[in-house]
Amino acid sequence: MSEQTGVWDVIVLGGGAAGLVAAFHARQAGASVLVVNKGLVGRSGATITSGGGVSVAGESLRAIGLDADASDTEERFLSDTISAGSWLNDQHLVQSMVSGIGTELSRLVDWGIKFTVNKRAPGHSSGRGVHISGVDMQRALTRIAVQAGSQLSRGFSIQPVAEKRQ
Ligand SMILES: Cc1cc2nc3c(=O)[nH]c(=O)nc-3n(C[C@H](O)[C@H](O)[C@H](O)COP(=O)(O)OP(=O)(O)OC[C@H]3O[C@@H](n4cnc5c(N)ncnc54)[C@H](O)[C@@H]3O)c2cc1C
């Protein structure tokens, strides 16, 4: 285990996509940030192994300058997702994904992450499948978190500090 001492405003647990984006935003807000990871940041976790397939409404793709189905809307994407999920989905979460994914994708483009827009995937009434390599995403996010001034710590496994309530 590596040793590191200091005082930080924010300690982020986990250096995958979620942790690195959180670290970036905390730095943007002026906090000092340490990202703690049990493996090597940029080489462990689910993000680096992922296929990186996400769906984005044609409307959102076009808003960031990409060629996409002009008839496809966020509303249609929402309806497809809820229907393909047999109405079991948490509709607030689906709405959040449908309306927020375009902004997130735009941010990834600004960070230099390459992706391709694929054909129509099962359950979708339009070609809104976007593919981003997990390796590219993990590397780019590690770079932006470090460039923003986050410190990375590896070989440190966090143990649960709170008991789950029954
Ligand atoms: C094979 C595969 C394919 C996938 N394909 C897709 C896809 O096509 N589309 C899609 O949207 N999603 C996909 N996913 C899911 C997606 O990759 C994950 O939901 C996402 O990457 C999770 O990001 P994360 O930052 O939360 O976790 P991770 O990337 O796993 O990062 C968590 C980090 O925390 C560290 N860590 C864990 N526990 C501790 C601890 N106790 N102490 C310290 N550090 C710890 C880990 O080492 C890791 O680096 C796929 C996942 C896999 C495995």
Side-chain angles (χ1 to χ4, degrees), residues 83-145:
S83 152
S86 303
W87 294 80
L88 295 172
N89 332 49
D90 179 325
Q91 294 189 19
H92 293 291
L93 281 180
V94 178
Q95 178 65 66
S96 166
M97 174 196 73
V98 163
S99 53
I101 189 76
T103 307
E104 295 307 321
L105 186 64
S106 169
R107 211 191 307 273
L108 297 182
V109 172
D110 291 345
W111 289 338
I113 299 175
K114 303 263 184 281
F115 61 88
T116 52
V117 181
N118 296 327
K119 288 185 243 155
R120 185 154 65 89
H124 292 277
S125 62
S126 175
R128 46 174 94 103
V130 172
H131 177 259
I132 304 167
S133 136
V135 173
D136 289 352
M137 182 151 49
Q138 180 73 51
R139 285 196 184 137
L141 295 179
T142 304
R143 175 174 46 78
I144 65 106

Side-chain angles (χ1 to χ4, degrees), residues 5-153:
T5 56
V7 175
W8 291 271
D9 298 321
V10 174
I11 296 180
V12 176
L13 309 182
L20 292 169
V21 172
F24 172 81
H25 286 297
R27 282 294 302 143
Q28 295 295 103
S32 57
V33 178
L34 176 70
V35 178
V36 170
N37 207 60
K38 67 179 175 186
L40 269 175
V41 174
R43 292 189 184 255
S44 67
T47 303
I48 199 160
T49 65
S50 73
V54 291
S55 296
V56 186
E59 180 182 13
S60 314
L61 289 170
R62 291 172 69 82
I64 56 173
L66 297 166
D67 186 23
D69 179 0
S71 70
D72 188 30
T73 60
E74 288 186 1
E75 202 179 333
R76 205 167 120 197
F77 180 21
L78 179 81
S79 166
D80 283 354
T81 307
I82 289 170
S83 152
S86 303
W87 294 80
L88 295 172
N89 332 49
D90 179 325
Q91 294 189 19
H92 293 291
L93 281 180
V94 178
Q95 178 65 66
S96 166
M97 174 196 73
V98 163
S99 53
I101 189 76
T103 307
E104 295 307 321
L105 186 64
S106 169
R107 211 191 307 273
L108 297 182
V109 172
D110 291 345
W111 289 338
I113 299 175
K114 303 263 184 281
F115 61 88
T116 52
V117 181
N118 296 327
K119 288 185 243 155
R120 185 154 65 89
H124 292 277
S125 62
S126 175
R128 46 174 94 103
V130 172
H131 177 259
I132 304 167
S133 136
V135 173
D136 289 352
M137 182 151 49
Q138 180 73 51
R139 285 196 184 137
L141 295 179
T142 304
R143 175 174 46 78
I144 65 106
V146 169
Q147 281 175 353
S150 311
Q151 283 182 263
L152 307 183
S153 170

